[in-house]
Amino acid sequence: MSVRVVVADDQAAIRTGLVMILGSAPDVEVVAEVGDGLAAVRAATELRPDLVLMDVRMPGIDGIEATRRLVADGVCAVLVLTTFDIDAHVDDALAAGAAGFLLKSVSAPQLLDAVRAVARGDGVLAPEVTRRVLARLAAPARRPAPPAGLADLTPRETDVLACLGRGLSNAEIADELVITEATTKTHVSRVLAKLGVRSRVQAAIAAQDAGLAP
């Protein structure tokens, strides 16, 4: 079954390039392309794709607000793709519930791999972004409170959260904990619900905050 994608970017040339890259893969289908955040919300709500490939800076509502609306309503996953390597954009996108954050300098194969990963329920962060996020988490002055809901996790769910904190995919978690991938997805969903977070990336940050991952 193909991964169904809505492409949202206000620059027509970039949209065309993204559609060409995605269309080159036999397992990916672009179901719509739009030029602003509100159009992205409308298209995704109507078409129910697997994910929206979302730019940040767009007219009307921006990609962050569009992401927040789509994730809050449970419409689909969002993979943010932007030119701007700015910490505030990263933080805002992850807080809005984006499943991933990539820069437009990403290669075509890497973009396709990221789209497939997000469609599987995994999270994706650009390497440059990952390093900075981890550096901020490791800063000595940062002493976050334990994530809300942590005490409500079962031992197995805590194991899953620790794996998320290490950046493992569902398949890798299943292998490590010797469970099925379907069971892994169930545990991940329960972990997200108990922690009150919208994405596995947010859960991974919570795991780092709790000291569950190196």
Side-chain angles (χ1 to χ4, degrees):
M1 183 178 295
S2 295
V3 177
R4 302 173 71 249
V5 182
V6 169
V7 175
D9 196 294
D10 64 332
Q11 298 186 48
I14 291 178
R15 283 202 311 274
T16 299
L18 292 173
V19 170
M20 289 179 63
I21 291 171
L22 297 175
S24 70
D27 59 335
V28 179
E29 176 188 3
V30 177
V31 296
E33 53 176 294
V34 298
D36 63 75
L38 186 57
V41 172
R42 288 172 174 166
T45 301
E46 177 183 353
L47 298 171
R48 297 286 166 163
D50 296 295
L51 64 99
V52 174
L53 190 59
M54 185 84 74
D55 189 20
V56 172
R57 293 185 178 178
M58 292 187 289
I61 66 170
D62 63 15
I64 302 299
E65 177 58 26
T67 297
R68 185 176 294 109
R69 294 186 188 185
L70 290 173
V71 174
D73 291 342
V75 175
C76 64
V78 176
L79 174 57
V80 171
L81 181 69
T82 182
T83 305
F84 305 101
D85 184 12
I86 300 172
D87 284 348
H89 286 170
V90 176
D91 294 343
D92 289 346
L94 298 183
F101 190 102
L102 294 178
L103 302 179
K104 288 180 180 176
S105 57
V106 68
S107 69
Q110 289 171 329
L111 176 60
L112 289 169
D113 286 345
V115 165
R116 295 181 183 111
V118 169
R120 289 195 304 267
D122 293 329
V124 178
L125 284 179
E128 306 92 326
V129 171
T130 301
R131 285 193 291 270
R132 293 208 308 277
V133 169
L134 293 179
R136 293 204 301 277
L137 290 172
R142 189 179 188 277
R143 294 185 175 86
L150 185 64
D152 297 329
L153 300 182
T154 66
R156 176 58 85 191
E157 289 166 353
T158 301
D159 292 340
V160 170
L161 178 59
C163 290
L164 290 174
R166 290 162 50 201
L168 300 188
S169 67
N170 285 345
E172 290 168 335
I173 295 173
D175 287 343
E176 177 150 328
L177 300 183
V178 195
I179 56 179
T180 67
E181 193 165 347
T183 299
T184 299
K185 290 180 180 179
T186 298
H187 284 314
V188 170
S189 295
R190 289 175 178 167
V191 167
L192 266 58
K194 289 183 179 181
L195 295 182
V197 298
R198 295 175 174 176
S199 73
R200 62 191 296 128
V201 177
Q202 289 178 324
I205 293 173
Q208 296 281 344
D209 286 346
L212 295 176

